[in-house]
Amino acid sequence: MRWALVKVCLAVTAMVVIAFAVPLGLVIREMAGDRAFSDAERQAAMIAPTLSITTDREELTRAVLSTEPGDRGRLAVHVPGGGGPLDIGTRRATPKDVATVRKAGRASITEVTGGFALLQPTALGTGDIAVVEVFVPEGEVSHGVATAWLMLAGVGLALIVGSVAVADRLGVRMVQPAQRLAGAAQDLGEGRLGTRVPEEGPTELRSAAVAFNSMADQVVQLLANERELAADLSHRLRTPLTVLRLNAASLGEGPAAEQTRAAVQQLEHEVDTIIRTAREQRPQPQGGQTGAGCDASEVIRERMGFWSALAEDEGREVRLAGVDRTVRIPVARPELAAALDALLGNVFRHTPEGTAFSVDVHHSGDAVIVLVSDAGPGISDPKAALARGASGRDAASGSVGSTGLGLDIVRRVAESTGGDLRIGRSVLGGTEVRIWIGLYGSRPERGRRGHGRRVGRRTGRQRRKEPRTTTGSGAQH
């Protein structure tokens, strides 16, 4: 496409240059000839006053030699007479041409050896017609024409080169966005869902890039919605399952109670299987990209509104802080909602009824920190709790009873932004789960990645604002 545009521009510019340069060159040549013959007419008119006074040879000879063309041998006078024609000066025109001009009474230009001869008729006092001949060399007729033609050729060549350069730049400006769009379409087709196209270039290609990015966002959203149909079973079913499990625990002993508890356990197992399957089949965006992002405050307020109803039923005190302003993070809305539901679901599953919990959002220059804290008993081995995603076993008791996917979901969300997940002791006395979400793909300093340390770079004022955490606290899974 680029070279085709260059070729078209080259052909069009060349035709325009030829269409203007060739006629202009011919006009310049005609103007040079007209200027030479006009000078010749002026020189011929210089001898006319002498011819009107006398036809004496000596007088005419002195008059001819006194002029510049006569002195250079370019002027001749042909005077008719009874004893024969009188020719003064250097003659180049033939007698026939002279006789023709004398008879016609009009000036004429005839071609002679080495140039052209201007024959100008002049009336004598006797009534006869004399002919003044002025020789114009061929060099004077074309004087300056070659230089003008060279200048025209140079200007035409410069126009062609300039047009080719401009066409090449325009071609690059058009081709590069088109190539990026084609490459992005190929990447998206290969499953790299984070691929986007810079919205630049000509208007049409910018519109195509906007449409492509919108389509890619919709594809990501559709896939996220599809995953959510399965993965959100953990959010929609865990709450009633938690209530059923708590109610089943209060049924006492007996076959019906055991059957109910077994049914609840089986249902939880099936839900865990669905969650695990959805998690394993989840397509991951390429390059650590997480989609279009979302407002963390809005998502947290929405999910807290969902869980607050169950908290009220169980007599739990709930505190929410730091969500009074918009906090944009590079995490898709369904991903953040899944992570929050996993943590809040763990609070309800692994702490007694009436246990208070809180969610705090802290915003620093390069990161957003979400703290989920509770006043429960915590766990003794935080590292094992973080390892549950791999083992699928309860870290505290070693018994099977957890999918191990709760913290794994949260950890993947945090690490997709360059952040991490940590657990520690909360100010409420129980577990604190800290989600470090990078805003620009940056990661915490390696020397500060231990549990209970500060995440990333913080100012002293920001350190004082954040709750203290220490090693040895627990977290739900």
Side-chain angles (χ1 to χ4, degrees):
M1 179 178 177
R2 173 184 175 185
W3 294 115
L5 181 62
V6 171
K7 290 178 181 179
V8 170
C9 186
L10 176 62
V12 172
T13 306
M15 288 189 295
V16 171
V17 168
I18 292 174
F20 281 91
V22 172
L24 187 59
L26 296 177
V27 169
I28 290 175
R29 187 177 68 177
E30 293 295 330
M31 290 177 61
D34 291 344
R35 180 180 64 251
F37 291 120
S38 295
D39 290 342
E41 291 178 356
R42 178 180 54 82
Q43 293 167 0
M46 294 174 61
I47 200 69
T50 304
L51 288 173
S52 63
I53 297 175
T54 181
T55 57
D56 181 70
R57 173 183 289 273
E58 293 183 359
E59 294 292 334
L60 291 177
T61 301
R62 284 196 297 269
V64 168
L65 293 177
S66 65
T67 62
E68 178 184 358
D71 185 56
R72 299 171 62 182
R74 296 182 180 180
L75 180 63
V77 178
H78 307 286
V79 181
L86 177 63
D87 297 325
I88 301 172
T90 305
R91 176 175 181 171
R92 290 180 175 82
T94 63
K96 182 179 179 181
D97 293 332
V98 173
T100 301
V101 170
R102 180 179 293 117
K103 183 178 180 180
R106 294 193 304 270
S108 175
I109 298 175
T110 183
E111 186 174 357
V112 297
T113 303
F116 300 88
L118 171 68
L119 302 177
Q120 179 69 45
T122 302
L124 300 176
T126 60
D128 294 329
I129 302 296
V131 177
V132 180
E133 176 187 339
V134 180
F135 174 67
V136 181
E138 188 174 2
E140 291 189 4
V141 174
S142 61
H143 178 68
V145 174
T147 302
W149 282 7
L150 286 176
M151 292 181 63
L152 285 175
V155 171
L157 183 62
L159 288 175
I160 293 175
V161 172
S163 65
V164 169
V166 172
D168 182 69
R169 291 298 90 197
L170 289 175
V172 169
R173 186 169 176 263
M174 294 178 61
V175 170
Q176 286 184 347
Q179 290 175 340
R180 285 195 294 266
L181 184 60
Q186 183 176 2
D187 292 342
L188 186 65
E190 293 174 355
R192 289 186 279 272
L193 303 181
T195 300
R196 297 296 183 272
V197 182
E199 297 173 3
E200 58 187 21
T203 303
E204 294 78 6
L205 290 176
R206 283 202 305 270
S207 300
V210 171
F212 176 86
N213 292 338
S214 177
M215 178 194 67
D217 291 338
Q218 290 182 9
V219 169
V220 172
Q221 186 62 43
L222 289 174
L223 291 176
N225 291 340
E226 184 178 350
R227 295 194 308 270
E228 193 175 0
L229 292 176
D232 264 8
L233 289 173
S234 63
H235 315 322
R236 300 180 182 275
L237 297 181
R238 286 234 183 258
T239 299
L241 282 175
T242 301
V243 176
L244 287 175
R245 183 172 54 82
L246 295 175
N247 291 338
S250 64
L251 291 177
E253 302 297 333
E258 291 299 330
Q259 290 177 2
T260 301
R261 284 191 284 270
V264 172
Q265 184 177 2
Q266 179 64 27
L267 184 57
E268 285 187 322
H269 175 72
E270 296 298 334
V271 171
D272 293 341
T273 302
I274 295 174
I275 298 170
R276 185 179 293 106
T277 302
R279 188 64 179 170
E280 290 174 353
Q281 294 178 350
R282 171 185 173 185
Q284 295 291 334
Q286 300 295 319
Q289 300 187 44
T290 57
C294 67
D295 179 7
S297 298
E298 180 184 357
V299 177
I300 292 173
R301 288 194 301 266
E302 177 186 337
R303 300 317 301 164
M304 286 296 289
F306 173 81
W307 288 96
S308 61
L310 181 58
E312 184 178 356
D313 291 340
E314 295 188 358
R316 296 176 183 267
E317 182 182 352
V318 181
R319 184 176 68 85
L320 179 61
V323 293
D324 54 343
R325 67 187 181 100
T326 299
V327 180
R328 299 293 303 182
I329 60 174
V331 177
R333 185 187 189 91
E335 303 295 331
L336 181 60
L340 289 172
D341 285 346
L343 294 180
L344 295 175
N346 285 339
V347 172
F348 284 87
R349 295 183 65 191
H350 297 280
T351 62
E353 291 187 16
T355 301
F357 67 94
S358 66
V359 177
D360 299 279
V361 179
H362 300 272
H363 184 274
S364 63
D366 59 351
V368 171
I369 301 172
V370 180
L371 302 176
V372 178
S373 308
D374 63 64
I379 62 172
S380 58
D381 193 345
K383 291 185 178 180
L386 289 174
R388 275 184 249 174
S391 65
R393 301 182 64 87
D394 191 299
S397 64
S399 63
V400 178
S402 170
T403 62
L405 293 174
L407 289 179
D408 185 60
I409 293 174
V410 182
R411 178 179 58 81
R412 287 176 181 269
V413 169
E415 290 181 351
S416 69
T417 66
D420 61 7
L421 172 68
R422 305 181 189 185
I423 55 178
R425 177 71 63 181
S426 72
V427 294
L428 300 178
T431 300
E432 176 186 87
V433 180
R434 176 184 300 183
I435 312 173
W436 195 97
I437 299 175
L439 298 182
Y440 310 109
S442 58
R443 291 184 175 273
E445 296 179 6
R446 290 292 181 184
R448 299 182 178 183
R449 296 188 65 90
H451 297 293
R453 299 292 185 94
R454 291 294 162 194
V455 184
R457 295 183 176 91
R458 305 287 194 274
T459 63
R461 180 174 61 85
Q462 290 169 331
R463 291 192 181 101
R464 290 192 295 271
K465 285 185 176 181
E466 296 179 5
R468 292 180 56 83
T469 59
T470 59
T471 307
S473 59
Q476 292 80 30
H477 54 91

